[in-house]
Amino acid sequence: SMSLLNQHSILVVVPAYNAASHLPELLYRLRNFVCDSNLLIVDDGSSDDTLEILKHEKVRFISLPTNRGKGRALAAGFAYARAHRYRSVLTLDADLQHQPEELHRFYAIDDGRTIAIGTRNISPGSYLTSLLVSIFSARRIRDSQSGYRLIPAHVLGRLDLRAAAFDFESEMLFKLGAPDSDIVEVPVSTVYNRADSN
C-alpha cells in the first residue's frame, strides 16, 4: 500500500502564502530533487494566483480557505505526513530563500529520529564539531528561526497540531526535545530577499 511505501520517505512541505511570483521557479527547481508524490504545497488562503498556479502545475496541494498563518499551514502538512505514514517531513519556505539544491544535505542525515535545522552562516569546519546539539543547549539554534528543517514524523505526535500558534516554529523545538531525538544543524546558504518580496 501507499503508506507502506512512504515509511522510508521524506515528505517535502512548503507553506505558501501569496507566493505566485516565486512558485513556478520554486516548483521547477524542487522537481529536480523531489518526486511529485513526495511534494506537498500548503496554500495558506492566498489572495493572489497561488492556487491557480498549483492547479496548473498539477502539484499535490492542500488549500486552506482563509489565511491562518504559517504555523497552521505547517500543521496541515504535518497532519498529512502522519496520515500517509511518511518517515520524516522536510519544510522549506516558498520565497526562494531556501535553496532546493541543498535538500540533499537534509536527505543525507535522515534516519527517522534526527531533527535538523538549516542554519545560515556557520562555517563547515565549526559545523562538524558542534553537529550534535542536545535539546538542553538548543537555545542557540532557536534563534536561527530557520524554516528549512527536517523533522521525523513520529515526534510530530508530541505537538498539538490544532493549537498551532504564530510562533509555532520556535515552540516546536522545545516541544520536540526528547531523549530519542538528536537536533543537528545543517549549513545552508544565505539568500537575501529580493526587492519584490515582503
Side-chain angles (χ1 to χ4, degrees):
S1 76
M2 186 68 174
S3 57
L4 287 175
L5 280 175
N6 291 342
Q7 63 191 353
H8 301 295
S9 297
I10 296 173
L11 179 68
V12 175
V13 173
V14 183
Y17 176 62
N18 288 351
S21 61
H22 300 300
L23 263 179
E25 180 184 345
L26 177 69
L27 291 171
Y28 175 78
R29 288 165 61 186
L30 277 171
R31 281 169 154 162
N32 287 319
F33 307 99
V34 187
C35 63
D36 280 359
S37 59
N38 289 345
L39 178 60
L40 178 72
I41 314 296
V42 184
D43 165 38
D44 185 21
S46 297
S47 57
D48 66 357
D49 290 337
T50 292
L51 187 56
E52 287 68 27
I53 291 169
L54 293 174
K55 289 174 178 170
H56 178 259
E57 292 273 357
K58 297 182 169 57
V59 64
R60 183 169 299 180
F61 67 88
I62 293 172
S63 187
L64 305 180
T66 55
N67 176 235
R68 304 292 297 280
K70 190 176 178 185
R72 286 295 177 93
L74 286 171
F78 293 162
Y80 180 97
R82 282 176 57 77
H84 293 83
R85 297 193 184 171
Y86 282 86
R87 177 163 83 173
S88 302
V89 179
L90 208 171
T91 63
L92 72 159
D93 293 341
D95 61 4
L96 299 177
Q97 288 234 49
H98 300 147
Q99 304 291 299
E101 293 74 18
E102 294 175 344
L103 283 169
H104 67 92
R105 299 182 181 180
F106 295 89
Y107 285 145
I109 57 174
D110 176 50
D111 57 4
R113 64 178 201 91
T114 301
I115 299 165
I117 313 296
T119 308
R120 301 162 208 237
N121 304 325
I122 53 175
S123 66
S126 65
Y127 147 73
L128 289 171
T129 57
S130 63
L131 184 65
L132 290 177
V133 183
S134 98
I135 184 64
F136 302 108
S137 61
R139 224 167 261 280
R140 199 163 59 78
I141 286 184
R142 180 179 189 246
D143 295 336
S144 84
Q145 284 293 312
S146 170
Y148 209 166
R149 13 177 109 170
L150 172 77
I151 306 136
H154 78 90
V155 302
L156 294 172
R158 296 184 206 133
L159 299 174
D160 182 355
L161 297 180
R162 291 158 307 178
F166 174 72
D167 57 353
F168 184 59
E169 282 184 292
S170 307
E171 292 305 307
M172 203 158 76
L173 290 186
F174 289 114
K175 294 202 174 110
L176 293 181
D180 61 345
S181 304
D182 292 321
I183 295 190
V184 304
E185 292 180 281
V186 172
V188 296
S189 303
T190 302
V191 181
Y192 294 101
N193 264 338
R194 302 176 197 168
D196 66 343
S197 45
N198 41 15

